[in-house]
């Protein structure tokens, strides 16, 4: 009977020592453990008025950033890459709408005018993207943030043009994604070092 009791006491004494390494790993910053996507998205999206945690997770998770990213700078580079892809696809959509007259619904004159303005705005975003990506990679975060803020403003200007022109925007979702991706990049760069 004494043997069972001492064995139980020994187990109770050993278990905390076996759990200690697990607790230590759990207490490490996410940047050291390699799983930074969720904590980073909670940090930048939790209090944001521009996007939420889920948008951050969906966007960055769509390309597996959580697996390879080591820090906020890496995540910002992914956001800039996603913004570039979104800009290209939005520009293609605008060109298609203008070229084909909007398909079955046909684009009216007011909508076409707004789309041409948006095409110019998206061309500006596209021109800025290579320098923005280089600035992120090179650690020139102020330069990158400025470029991203200009991109966010361009997306808003595109959408505002439809409102001012009393036209229905066929690119609302694209403008919203452009705006949020740019703001996501800005937020991530705010924590990069």
């Amino acid at each position: 009977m004494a043997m069972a009791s001492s064995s139980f006491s020994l187990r109770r004494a050993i278990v905390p020592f076996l759990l200690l390494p697990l607790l230590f790993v759990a207490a490490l910053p996410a940047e050291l453990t390699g799983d930074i996507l969720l904590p980073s998205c909670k940090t930048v999206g939790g209090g944001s008025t521009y996007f939420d945690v889920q948008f951050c997770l969906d966007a960055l998770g769509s390309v597996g950033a959580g697996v390879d990213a080591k820090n906020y700078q890496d995540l910002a580079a992914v956001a800039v890459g996603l913004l570039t892809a979104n800009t290209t696809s939005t520009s293609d959509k605008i060109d298609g709408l203008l070229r084909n007259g909007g398909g079955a619904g046909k684009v009216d004159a007011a909508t076409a005018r707004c789309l041409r303005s948006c095409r110019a705005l998206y061309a500006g975003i596209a021109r800025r993207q290579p320098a923005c990506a280089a600035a992120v990679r090179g650690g020139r975060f102020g330069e990158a943030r400025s470029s991203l803020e200009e991109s966010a403003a361009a997306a808003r200007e595109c959408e505002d043009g439809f409102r001012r022109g009393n036209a229905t925007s066929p690119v609302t979702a694209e403008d919203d994604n452009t705006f949020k991706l740019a703001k996501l990049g800005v937020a991530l760069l705010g924590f990069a070092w």
Side-chain angles (χ1 to χ4, degrees), residues 94 98 107-121 157-171 175:
I94 291 169
L98 288 169
V107 172
D108 60 33
T111 302
R113 190 172 40 259
C114 294
L115 284 170
R116 283 191 291 279
S117 175
C118 289
R119 180 170 50 189
L121 291 165
E157 188 176 337
C158 173
E159 208 50 35
D160 289 346
F162 287 100
R163 278 190 281 284
R164 285 190 308 271
N166 293 318
T168 301
S169 172
V171 291
D175 286 340

Side-chain angles (χ1 to χ4, degrees), residues 66-135:
V67 176
D68 297 328
K70 303 293 183 229
N71 53 44
Y72 283 97
Q73 182 178 4
D74 290 349
L75 291 173
V78 172
V80 169
L82 291 169
L83 177 58
T84 300
N86 187 71
T87 298
T88 301
S89 66
T90 303
S91 295
D92 290 346
K93 180 175 181 174
I94 291 169
D95 287 343
L97 288 167
L98 288 169
R99 185 174 41 256
N100 299 325
K106 299 292 182 200
V107 172
D108 60 33
T111 302
R113 190 172 40 259
C114 294
L115 284 170
R116 283 191 291 279
S117 175
C118 289
R119 180 170 50 189
L121 291 165
Y122 274 90
I125 296 171
R127 278 191 302 276
R128 281 189 297 277
Q129 284 306 101
C132 182

Side-chain angles (χ1 to χ4, degrees), residues 17-191:
F17 286 112
L18 295 174
L19 293 177
L20 191 59
L22 294 174
L23 293 174
F24 176 72
V25 170
L28 285 174
E31 290 184 354
L32 298 178
T33 62
D35 183 19
I36 68 167
L37 186 58
L38 180 60
S40 298
C41 285
K42 284 182 176 181
T43 297
V44 300
S48 176
T49 58
Y50 304 114
F51 60 89
D52 59 14
V53 174
Q54 194 59 53
F55 176 84
C56 178
L57 289 170
D58 290 346
L60 298 177
S62 70
V63 292
V67 176
D68 297 328
K70 303 293 183 229
N71 53 44
Y72 283 97
Q73 182 178 4
D74 290 349
L75 291 173
V78 172
V80 169
L82 291 169
L83 177 58
T84 300
N86 187 71
T87 298
T88 301
S89 66
T90 303
S91 295
D92 290 346
K93 180 175 181 174
I94 291 169
D95 287 343
L97 288 167
L98 288 169
R99 185 174 41 256
N100 299 325
K106 299 292 182 200
V107 172
D108 60 33
T111 302
R113 190 172 40 259
C114 294
L115 284 170
R116 283 191 291 279
S117 175
C118 289
R119 180 170 50 189
L121 291 165
Y122 274 90
I125 296 171
R127 278 191 302 276
R128 281 189 297 277
Q129 284 306 101
C132 182
V136 171
R137 286 190 307 275
R140 298 183 313 277
F141 302 144
E143 180 183 330
R145 277 193 298 271
S146 177
S147 176
L148 290 166
E149 289 290 3
E150 287 182 53
S151 295
R156 280 287 157 103
E157 188 176 337
C158 173
E159 208 50 35
D160 289 346
F162 287 100
R163 278 190 281 284
R164 285 190 308 271
N166 293 318
T168 301
S169 172
V171 291
T172 297
E174 292 82 357
D175 286 340
D176 187 54
N177 284 334
T178 298
F179 179 82
K180 287 178 179 178
L181 286 168
K183 288 296 191 176
L184 174 60
V186 169
L188 290 165
L189 287 172
F191 290 93

